């Protein structure tokens, strides 16, 4: 996919890291300590399937243990390799530091095409992979807590949690060994939508930043902005859906692995998603133009480009032709270091992956806390909050009628005000707060320092500073 003169994903992440540390004053040797990946465990295991033993290769990489547990997803894809897993683990370290999720960075991967196996086979493979990692404490609520990533979801996380419980029957916190579980198996509401929701909140934060918008040559609100999204998986689907249904954006392009849909009037994200679920392809979708060369649309005219699929899709071969003034990296590493430089020179603003897709790990953090506290968020406060609001409403209505003014509270206001926050509302509010706080910390560096001209460098500076502070506090 990438031209051969392109650095590897791992090197690309290191180059971006190096650009930022060159602007910092770290104690000698600390820069190297933070950059390197602490350990990568490779496992090869056999599973008896369809009458013969099949051997699988998986990885779990731990980038930094300045905070424990370490955190990061497990991906199932044929392209998984050590270099990729290490790059993704490094990004997890920076991501967690930036959004103040108290974890080090880790990532796992299994070299497999999940579409080739049925549910039962996938369960056998997942349980065996989990067994190999659990017995070496590479899955453990206090040390290493995986989550979903590309090719995995709630179902795999439930199998992993169950496998851990079978092997650790007396661990009262066992369910916290993995996040992204279904809600009926210790999960939290809002986790599945979290990464896409985080992309929406990140864009809302950006559109509140007048200086940032000016740098991108954009104006006004999100309403009416033209969006192209690449990848209608969990992240891309939720981001595109929320932006179009709640913020008034027009999704004018959707790129999938087998082509792209283009419609200046705006695509119906749910209808496209359902079409793909039913037919396994976007080809033939009736109400838009379908172009076979999907990647070409990455260069299409729009206000916001959302690469939400693979790494390295914007690279030396196409960066120059990318027209979007604003790119938000919903995927990890979609822009290579070389492309990043070209785009920076062109004045394209990039909201970097370590911030843009941090919604997933943020809500994973909430789930982990919920599991350790053994109680659903809001359970103690909700009724009490509703009772207090009812008091205010009753008093206002009494005053209005006693004084003869006759004001009426609108039914809509009453309904919203009287409803106490449940778990989903609290999760969304915590995520929104996290995304705006992290945006402000990046923007302060981006706008405040003459030697920083992009958000990615600003994000690295904020996050490396936090990792360095943890190492210093440990006396290292
Ligand atoms: N796989 C997601 C990521 O890359 C989520 C990780 C997590 O929740 O631990 O950020």
């Amino acid at each position: 996919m990438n031209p051969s003169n392109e650095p590897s994903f791992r090197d690309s992440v290191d180059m971006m890291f190096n650009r930022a540390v060159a602007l910092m004053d770290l104690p000698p040797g600390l820069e190297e300590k933070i950059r390197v990946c602490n350990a990568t465990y490779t496992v090869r295991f056999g599973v008896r399937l369809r009458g013969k033993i099949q051997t699988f290769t998986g990885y779990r990489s731990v980038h930094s243990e300045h905070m424990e547990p370490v955190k990061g997803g497990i991906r199932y894809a044929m392209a998984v390799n050590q270099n990729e897993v290490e790059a993704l683990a490094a990004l997890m370290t920076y991501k967690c530091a930036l959004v103040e999720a108290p974890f080090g960075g880790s990532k796992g991967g299994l070299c497999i095409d999940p579409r080739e196996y049925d549910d039962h086979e996938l369960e056998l493979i997942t349980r065996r992979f989990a067994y190999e990692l659990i017995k070496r404490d590479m899955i453990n609520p206090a040390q290493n807590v995986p989550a979903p990533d590309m090719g995995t979801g709630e179902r795999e996380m439930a199998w992993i949690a169950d496998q851990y419980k079978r092997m650790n029957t007396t661990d009262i916190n066992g369910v916290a060994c993995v996040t992204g579980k279904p809600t009926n198996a210790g999960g939290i509401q809002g986790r599945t939508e979290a990464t896409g929701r985080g992309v929406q909140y990140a864009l809302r934060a950006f559109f509140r930043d007048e200086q940032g918008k000016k740098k991108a040559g954009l104006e006004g609100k999100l309403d009416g902005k033209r969006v192209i999204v690449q990848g209608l998986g969990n992240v891309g689907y939720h981001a595109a859906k929320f932006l179009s249904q709640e913020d008034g954006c027009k999704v004018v392009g959707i790129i999938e692995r087998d082509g792209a849909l283009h419609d200046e009037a705006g695509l119906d994200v749910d209808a496209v998603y359902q079409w793909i679920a039913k037919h396994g392809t976007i080809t033939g979708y009736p109400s838009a133009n379908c172009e076979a060369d999907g990647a070409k649309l990455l260069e299409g005219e729009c206000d916001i480009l959302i690469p939400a699929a693979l790494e390295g899709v914007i690279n030396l071969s196409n960066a120059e032709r990318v027209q979007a003034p604003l790119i938000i990296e919903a995927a990890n590493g979609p822009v290579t270091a070389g492309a990043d430089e070209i785009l920076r020179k062109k004045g394209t603003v990039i909201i970097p992956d370590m911030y843009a897709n941090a919604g997933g790990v943020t809500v994973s953090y909430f789930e982990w806390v919920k599991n350790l506290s053994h109680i659903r968020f809001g359970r103690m406060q909700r009724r009490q909050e509703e009772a207090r609001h009812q008091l205010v409403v009753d008093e206002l209505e009494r005053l209005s009628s006693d004084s003869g003014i006759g004001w009426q509270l609108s039914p809509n206001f009453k309904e919203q005000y009287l409803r106490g926050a449940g778990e989903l509302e609290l999760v969304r509010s915590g995520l929104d707060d996290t995304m705006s706080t992290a945006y402000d910390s990046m923007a302060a560096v981006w706008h405040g320092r003459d030697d920083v001209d992009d958000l990615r460098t600003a994000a690295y500076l904020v996050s490396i500073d936090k990792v360095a502070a943890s190492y210093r506090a440990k006396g290292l």
Side-chain angles (χ1 to χ4, degrees):
M1 180 198 358
N2 291 5
S4 52
N5 52 347
E6 199 94 54
S8 72
F9 185 15
R10 174 83 251 222
D11 291 340
S12 216
V13 171
D14 284 349
M15 284 161 76
M16 292 166 177
F17 173 92
N18 290 341
R19 243 176 71 79
V21 286
L23 306 173
M24 297 177 83
D25 193 16
L26 292 177
L30 185 55
E31 161 191 337
E32 158 101 350
K33 173 68 208 80
I34 295 175
R35 184 175 42 75
V36 297
C37 205
N38 289 4
T40 301
Y41 177 68
T42 307
V43 54
R44 296 186 186 87
F45 57 89
V47 183
R48 185 176 289 281
L49 298 168
R50 305 172 199 176
K52 73 170 182 93
I53 293 177
Q54 287 193 34
T55 304
F56 296 89
T57 305
Y59 306 88
R60 186 78 183 160
S61 176
V62 175
H63 174 258
S64 174
E65 292 149 293
H66 68 287
M67 283 199 183
E68 284 187 314
V70 293
K71 190 100 191 63
I74 291 183
R75 101 172 14 180
Y76 283 4
M78 284 311 286
V80 162
N81 59 60
Q82 181 169 347
N83 186 296
E84 180 193 62
V85 171
E86 290 187 355
L88 292 165
L91 281 174
M92 284 308 304
T93 296
Y94 309 133
K95 192 184 302 191
C96 291
L98 183 64
V99 295
E100 299 187 333
F103 304 124
S106 180
K107 199 79 173 201
L110 187 64
C111 203
I112 186 177
D113 179 355
R115 287 167 304 181
E116 301 265 305
Y117 299 91
D118 66 29
D119 288 5
H120 178 63
E121 290 171 330
L122 279 173
E123 179 174 351
L124 289 176
I125 298 163
T126 302
R127 283 186 182 274
R128 184 60 208 273
F129 184 31
Y131 169 83
E132 295 293 334
L133 296 177
I134 293 164
K135 74 175 182 194
R136 291 170 178 88
D137 285 336
M138 307 283 283
I139 297 179
N140 180 302
Q143 288 187 35
N144 197 326
V145 181
D149 200 81
M150 201 185 291
T152 58
E154 290 189 337
R155 183 183 62 166
E156 287 74 15
M157 302 306 116
W159 291 331
I160 294 173
D162 186 65
Q163 186 65 30
Y164 182 89
K165 276 187 274 170
R166 287 186 190 186
M167 295 167 69
N168 298 273
T169 48
T170 56
D171 185 347
I172 194 170
N173 293 320
V175 73
C177 74
V178 66
T179 57
K181 302 174 293 286
T183 41
N184 60 13
I188 195 166
Q189 288 185 53
R191 175 61 185 85
T192 303
E193 64 168 45
T195 315
R197 185 63 81 185
V199 171
Q200 175 194 33
Y201 291 161
L203 280 170
R204 284 185 183 172
F206 178 84
F207 274 82
R208 286 194 295 267
D209 172 10
E210 292 303 327
Q211 263 178 287
K213 277 192 292 186
K214 212 160 152 212
K215 287 180 184 173
L218 289 165
E219 285 180 349
K221 296 190 162 84
L222 268 171
D223 190 25
K225 294 289 177 291
R226 295 157 65 238
V227 172
I228 293 179
V229 60
Q230 183 196 35
L232 217 57
N234 180 41
V235 181
Y237 163 65
H238 282 107
K241 173 185 159 99
F242 297 146
L243 286 167
S244 58
Q245 292 178 4
E246 297 172 13
D247 294 291
C249 289
K250 233 192 313 170
V251 177
V252 295
I254 293 178
I255 307 168
E256 264 289 313
R257 75 186 114 219
D258 52 351
L261 298 173
H262 187 213
D263 186 354
E264 276 305 312
L267 291 153
D268 178 340
V269 177
D270 268 321
V272 177
Y273 186 75
Q274 274 151 27
W275 177 272
I276 297 173
K278 192 159 168 216
H279 300 89
T281 169
I282 51 165
T283 317
Y285 179 73
S287 20
N289 290 333
C290 189
E291 290 154 29
D293 182 7
K296 197 85 198 119
L297 198 59
L298 286 169
E299 302 161 22
E301 212 197 302
C302 63
D303 299 305
I304 307 168
L305 176 63
I306 312 182
L310 289 171
E311 56 259 17
V313 293
I314 300 174
N315 49 50
L316 293 175
S317 75
N318 59 1
E320 201 63 67
R321 292 190 303 275
V322 169
Q323 295 186 64
L326 177 64
I327 299 176
I328 177 157
E329 297 182 327
N332 286 305
V335 176
T336 64
D340 191 61
E341 197 169 328
I342 295 173
L343 291 164
R344 248 184 293 120
K345 286 201 183 117
K346 276 177 31 159
T348 310
V349 170
I350 301 176
I351 305 181
D353 46 8
M354 78 172 78
Y355 167 68
N357 66 40
V361 75
T362 300
V363 177
S364 276
Y365 168 41
F366 302 155
E367 179 176 333
W368 182 73
V369 170
K370 172 187 177 182
N371 292 156
L372 295 180
S373 58
H374 300 269
I375 188 163
R376 159 169 61 77
F377 288 112
R379 180 160 174 183
M380 303 295 278
Q381 306 92 330
R382 185 174 185 156
R383 293 289 163 199
Q384 205 256 357
E385 192 189 334
E386 287 179 354
R388 289 168 70 91
H389 286 187
Q390 186 69 54
L391 277 177
V392 174
V393 167
D394 290 349
E395 190 63 6
L396 280 174
E397 287 183 334
R398 188 189 63 76
L399 284 172
S400 165
S401 102
D402 286 3
S403 62
I405 299 176
W407 282 337
Q408 295 280 331
L409 296 173
S410 76
N412 188 25
F413 166 82
K414 264 172 77 167
E415 200 217 298
Q416 287 192 38
Y417 185 67
L418 287 175
R419 200 176 340 109
E423 186 172 76
L424 185 59
E425 289 80 19
L426 291 169
V427 162
R428 286 180 179 160
S429 136
L431 177 59
D432 196 0
D433 184 60
T434 303
M435 296 308 289
S436 22
T437 308
Y439 185 84
D440 292 346
S441 66
M442 285 188 309
V445 175
W446 186 31
H447 303 319
R449 281 180 64 153
D450 293 340
D451 54 355
V452 176
D453 59 6
D454 64 313
L455 265 173
R456 192 188 312 279
T457 307
Y460 269 103
L461 285 175
V462 174
S463 96
I464 297 167
D465 211 35
K466 290 190 174 149
V467 178
S470 306
Y471 274 120
R472 271 197 297 273
K474 282 179 153 186
L476 202 79

